[in-house]
């Protein structure tokens, strides 16, 4: 608004300088003054009426207006100005301010009153379900985003405005659906996922119902390699080569394999699982002491009700960060548990500390194996992740009485590098392979390894980020422990030097940028890396 005023003022000043002032200087100042003011009022009356904001209060979106505009560009949900991009710019207009809606300069998209009003109207329609964006795009998404070829679109073909609309990525921070049963005294005013109540409810709240294209369907079992790591580490050349070929084949298609005899002590695996069970069995009030704060990933979350308001995942999670500290330094996981939950949780913290240390050691062995399978120097990726800072996440999936309508974790690729996942003996994990969802049969004491977006970029798309999800069931709760390996935040993600896989598929980026994108601008799904690439593109394009 301010910018429009400035632009108009600059225009008026300019008009006066070029025409009025010259005449004005030659004649008697007083007489002309009055005429000049009359003429100026006439001129103003002829200007199109300045848009005035329609609403007192505006929703604060969790996504920039420019990004929203880009995402819904093809959906014809807004009334774009007929003369977009054709207005004659007044001289001295502020070219540092670009409005993507009017496609002009002088004010920003953020300050654009017309865009703000239209997005406010649209947001009301979406939340009152007058407009269901997901149906508009679900088919497109389903057909294209599950099609591996389209999913791994070449970076240099990325079309800035061709972002698939992710109907849950544009959310109002302040207003979340408050269901009576899901808010028994929630904290921060956000609804609370009370699993002890909801697990027995015959019909689940609407916010947990996922669009039909994502719902659990009958599936076959995934055929993925189970690598005997012990044999690999002690193996002869021939058996090592055979193992590497199997890993390479799996990572080049669905990005998933399992490891047995991985060297992580079975009693530690069990102790970590028991601690996760102990935590999720705490009272809701106790768990809420560790509730994630807005904008942070760390802590307890119930169905992510603090972040999303539709297609909520049917799960509780506990997430914390892990990184090594110099010898004798603090045990970051122990500190986290004691500072967040109290000294009585020191033992739980110690178990998870040891568990994360073991996962870190295993992750470096995995990086060596992946390096070898990609034909790079064995230590290449290992050194890249030596100082990794990873994310530990405990998942708890309560039983659900309408499991066919919801998902424990929606279809997604982990934005991280690789994931080391320990699951219990309850089936639920599914991987998308060969055009359909396939179940992963749990293998006792084995660990799941899946490729994430960041490693896909590190391999220039040669290894595929695993598209997976978790389904729930009526009778049995399910648990999993996911260790998400991430490089140090400022390391630049790019393929190894040289002609690695031909044309670059993704731009350079840092894990900090991708992490921020998934936590502040976009709900991680099966298109995260593609959308992130476009987002990088559009923000650099409109600098
Ligand atoms: C960087 C991350 C974001 C998520 C946790 C890690 C790796 C997996 C991501 C996630 C699980 C993908 C599905 C959606 C998500 C919101 C979830 O269901 O938890 C994602 C995690 C997150 O953003 O918290
Ligand atoms: O629980 C599972 O099996 C999968 C969880 C998952 O994919 C995740 O947390 O990223
Ligand atoms: Fe995942």
């Amino acid at each position: 608004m301010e910018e429009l005023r400035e632009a108009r003022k600059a225009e008026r000043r300019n008009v006066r300088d070029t025409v009025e002032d010259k005449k004005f200087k030659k004649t008697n100042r007083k007489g002309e003054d009055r005429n000049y003011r009359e003429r100026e009022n006439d001129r103003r009356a002829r200007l199109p009426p300045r848009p005035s904001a329609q609403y007192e209060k505006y929703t604060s979106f969790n996504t920039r207006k420019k990004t929203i505009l880009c995402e819904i560009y093809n959906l014809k949900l807004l009334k774009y100005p007929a003369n977009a991009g054709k207005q004659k710019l007044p001289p001295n207009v502020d070219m540092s301010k670009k409005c993507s809606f009017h496609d002009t300069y002088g004010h920003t998209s953020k300050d654009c009153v017309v865009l703000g009003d239209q997005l406010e109207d649209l947001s009301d329609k979406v939340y009152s379900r007058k407009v269901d964006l997901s149906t508009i795009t679900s088919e497109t998404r389903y057909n294209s985003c599950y099609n591996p070829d389209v999913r791994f679109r070449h970076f240099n073909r990325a079309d800035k405005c061709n972002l698939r609309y992710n109907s849950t990525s544009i959310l109002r921070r302040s207003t979340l659906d408050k269901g009576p049963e899901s808010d028994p005294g929630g904290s921060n005013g956000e609804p609370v996922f009370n699993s002890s109540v909801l697990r027995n409810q015959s019909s689940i709240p609407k916010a947990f119902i996922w669009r039909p294209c994502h719902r659990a369907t009958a599936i076959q079992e995934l055929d993925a390699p189970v690598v005997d790591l012990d044999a690999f580490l002690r193996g002869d050349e021939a058996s090592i080569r055979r193992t590497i070929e199997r890993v390479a084949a799996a990572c080049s298609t669905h990005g998933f394999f399992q490891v047995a005899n991985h060297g992580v002590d079975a009693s530690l695996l069990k102790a970590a699982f028991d601690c996760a069970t102990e935590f999720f069995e705490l009272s809701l009030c106790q768990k809420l002491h560790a509730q994630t704060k807005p904008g942070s990933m760390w802590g307890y979350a119930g169905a992510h009700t603090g972040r999303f308001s539709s297609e909520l995942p049917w799960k509780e999670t506990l997430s914390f960060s892990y990184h090594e500290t110099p010898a004798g330094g603090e045990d970051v996981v122990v500190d986290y548990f004691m500072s967040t939950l109290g000294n009585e949780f020191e033992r739980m913290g110690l178990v998870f500390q040891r568990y994360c240390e073991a996962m870190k050691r295993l992750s470096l062995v995995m990086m060596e194996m992946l390096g070898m399978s990609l034909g790079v120097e064995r230590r290449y990726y290992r050194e890249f992740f030596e100082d990794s800072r990873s994310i530990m996440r405990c998942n708890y999936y309560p039983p659900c009485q309408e499991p066919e309508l919801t998902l424990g974790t929606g279809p997604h690729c982990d934005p991280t590098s690789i994931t080391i996942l320990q699951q219990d003996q309850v089936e639920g994990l599914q991987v998308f392979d060969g055009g359909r969802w396939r179940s992963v049969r749990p293998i006792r004491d084995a660990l799941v390894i899946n490729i994430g977006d960041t490693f896909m970029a590190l391999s220039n798309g040669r290894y595929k980020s695993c598209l997976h999800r978790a389904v729930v069931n009526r009778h049995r709760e399910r648990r999993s422990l996911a260790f998400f390996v991430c490089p140090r935040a400022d390391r630049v993600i790019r393929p190894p030097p040289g002609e690695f896989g031909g044309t670059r598929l993704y731009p350079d980026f840092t894990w900090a940028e991708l992490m921020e994108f998934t936590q502040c601008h976009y709900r991680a799904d099966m298109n995260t890396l593609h959308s992130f690439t476009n987002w990088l593109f559009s923000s650099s394009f409109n600098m």
Side-chain angles (χ1 to χ4, degrees):
M1 205 46 205
E2 200 40 49
E3 281 61 39
L4 281 175
R5 262 193 220 102
E6 283 309 314
R8 295 275 183 278
K9 246 191 247 157
E11 190 186 342
R12 274 204 305 280
R13 261 199 308 280
N14 194 18
V15 166
R16 196 176 49 211
D17 291 349
T18 49
V19 179
E20 292 301 331
D21 267 8
K22 281 199 191 82
K23 264 198 296 179
F24 185 72
K25 280 188 192 93
K26 275 191 228 111
T27 57
N28 168 327
R29 188 164 294 281
K30 229 201 212 77
E32 278 302 300
D33 213 2
R34 196 174 41 258
N35 289 348
Y36 167 70
R37 259 207 302 282
E38 275 157 22
R39 266 197 294 284
E40 182 54 18
N41 290 339
D42 286 352
R43 196 184 62 75
R44 273 197 214 163
R46 286 197 305 278
L47 282 177
R50 245 181 282 159
S52 58
Q54 284 176 36
Y55 300 104
E56 282 301 306
K57 203 168 152 321
Y58 282 81
T59 302
S60 71
F61 293 104
N62 73 343
T63 305
R64 289 185 301 179
K65 286 180 185 167
K66 179 170 56 181
T67 309
I68 296 173
L69 201 56
C70 199
E71 287 201 343
I72 63 176
Y73 186 74
N74 303 320
L75 300 179
K76 306 216 181 338
L77 291 165
L78 301 180
K79 192 171 171 307
Y80 296 91
N83 61 348
K86 301 187 195 92
Q87 297 98 319
K88 191 167 160 311
L89 294 179
N92 319 329
V93 70
D94 184 346
M95 296 298 281
S96 70
K97 294 189 171 114
K98 165 106 203 277
C99 172
S100 311
F101 182 67
H102 288 97
D103 195 4
T104 187
Y105 293 90
H107 67 282
T108 62
S109 314
K110 183 165 171 285
D111 300 334
C112 179
V113 170
V114 180
L115 176 59
D117 286 343
Q118 291 205 33
L119 287 180
E120 191 65 24
D121 293 341
L122 175 61
S123 147
D124 285 340
K125 286 186 197 126
V126 169
Y127 283 87
S128 55
R129 303 252 184 308
K130 287 200 191 88
V131 170
D132 179 2
L133 293 168
S134 54
T135 51
I136 293 176
T137 58
S138 58
E139 277 324 299
T140 337
R141 288 164 54 85
Y142 189 86
N143 298 334
S144 55
C145 60
Y146 285 119
N147 169 345
D149 302 334
V150 175
R151 212 154 44 90
F152 303 110
R153 174 198 297 261
H154 280 277
F155 164 61
N156 49 17
R157 285 199 337 247
D159 165 359
K160 192 175 62 63
C161 281
N162 184 27
L163 276 175
R164 259 178 230 82
Y165 180 75
N166 173 344
S167 63
T168 51
S169 69
I170 297 173
L171 301 170
R172 298 198 260 197
R173 281 189 202 295
S174 47
T175 53
L176 285 164
D177 305 335
K178 291 193 188 330
E181 73 289 340
S182 66
D183 188 4
S187 61
N188 316 332
E190 64 195 44
V192 169
F193 178 57
N194 190 334
S195 61
S196 51
V197 170
L198 288 170
R199 63 194 295 156
N200 303 313
Q201 206 157 293
S202 54
S203 64
I204 64 176
K206 205 175 352 169
F208 289 92
I209 297 177
W210 286 66
R211 68 197 85 156
C213 68
H214 287 332
R215 287 178 197 164
T217 45
I219 44 167
Q220 295 152 332
E221 203 169 290
L222 178 72
D223 173 23
V226 182
V227 174
D228 180 332
L229 213 46
D230 188 41
F232 174 77
L233 294 174
R234 286 185 301 98
D236 52 55
E237 283 302 306
S239 73
I240 288 177
R241 199 171 34 257
R242 263 197 313 280
T243 300
I244 279 175
E245 282 161 7
R246 292 174 67 216
V247 165
C251 294
S252 308
T253 48
H254 46 63
F256 181 101
F257 61 97
Q258 298 204 49
V259 286
N261 299 323
H262 37 66
V264 181
D265 192 307
S267 59
L268 180 56
L269 293 178
K270 183 178 181 310
F273 240 109
D274 293 347
C275 284
T277 303
E278 186 185 334
F279 174 80
F280 288 117
E281 284 175 352
L282 292 174
S283 71
L284 187 53
C285 185
Q286 281 178 301
K287 287 184 280 191
L288 288 173
H289 281 310
Q291 187 172 32
T292 47
K293 307 249 179 318
S296 163
M297 176 176 204
W298 311 131
Y300 168 79
H304 290 317
T305 55
R307 293 170 61 190
F308 313 128
S309 66
S310 63
E311 296 192 328
L312 297 180
W314 192 269
K315 67 178 175 185
E316 294 177 72
T317 59
L318 175 66
S319 308
F320 45 93
S321 170
Y322 168 74
H323 60 272
E324 281 172 13
T325 52
E330 53 167 329
D331 284 345
V332 292
V333 176
V334 178
D335 289 357
Y336 171 76
F337 274 82
M338 292 178 72
S339 59
T340 309
L341 287 164
N343 294 344
E344 65 274 28
F345 287 89
E346 181 179 15
R347 184 193 153 277
M348 187 181 282
L350 266 170
V351 168
F352 280 122
Q353 177 78 30
R354 298 289 165 265
Y355 185 83
C356 289
E357 289 164 357
M359 290 298 117
K360 166 71 185 278
R361 286 193 293 272
L362 177 58
S363 72
L364 296 180
V365 174
M366 289 295 100
M367 290 302 172
E368 286 188 27
M369 175 185 268
L370 293 173
M372 292 163 74
S373 69
L374 281 164
V376 301
E377 209 275 315
R378 177 167 184 158
R379 298 189 57 79
Y380 180 81
Y381 289 117
R382 180 184 180 108
E383 284 166 8
F384 192 86
F385 286 94
E386 203 67 66
D387 53 359
S388 60
R389 299 177 76 95
S390 294
I391 300 164
M392 178 68 207
R393 169 166 286 184
C394 306
N395 294 307
Y396 171 69
Y397 302 99
C400 173
Q401 298 316 308
E402 293 185 299
E404 69 288 349
L405 297 182
T406 189
L407 288 168
T409 296
H412 69 281
C413 299
D414 295 339
T416 44
S417 297
I418 63 170
T419 304
I420 304 176
L421 183 107
Q422 186 193 178
Q423 56 175 336
D424 61 14
Q425 291 305 295
V426 180
E427 278 205 12
L429 177 59
Q430 298 182 350
V431 169
F432 194 78
D433 173 46
R436 63 183 66 202
W437 287 101
R438 299 172 188 276
S439 68
V440 172
R441 184 170 50 81
I443 300 172
R444 196 174 292 283
D445 291 337
L447 292 171
V448 161
I449 309 290
N450 66 257
I451 301 292
D453 289 339
T454 299
F455 198 89
M456 180 163 74
L458 282 169
S459 68
N460 198 29
R462 282 179 54 186
Y463 281 3
K464 300 298 188 261
S465 189
C466 176
L467 175 52
H468 58 290
R469 69 183 186 186
V471 299
V472 291
N473 68 79
R474 271 188 184 74
H475 306 296
R476 300 182 70 188
E477 55 197 15
R478 179 172 176 269
R479 295 174 189 80
S480 67
L481 305 183
F483 185 79
F484 300 110
V485 183
C486 314
R488 201 185 62 216
D490 60 345
R491 280 194 182 277
V492 176
I493 310 299
R494 61 165 71 109
E499 263 305 286
F500 196 84
T503 320
R504 279 290 300 274
L505 297 191
Y506 307 100
D508 287 359
F509 60 90
T510 64
W511 166 241
E513 288 167 327
L514 180 51
M515 174 76 165
E516 191 239 346
F517 182 66
T518 67
Q519 297 308 301
C520 306
H521 306 292
Y522 189 89
R523 178 176 180 175
D525 61 11
M526 75 293 287
N527 292 313
T528 308
L529 191 54
H530 174 77
S531 304
F532 172 65
T533 301
N534 285 323
W535 183 71
L536 282 182
F537 235 1
S538 60
S539 34
S540 53
F541 180 84
N542 285 339
M543 283 315 259

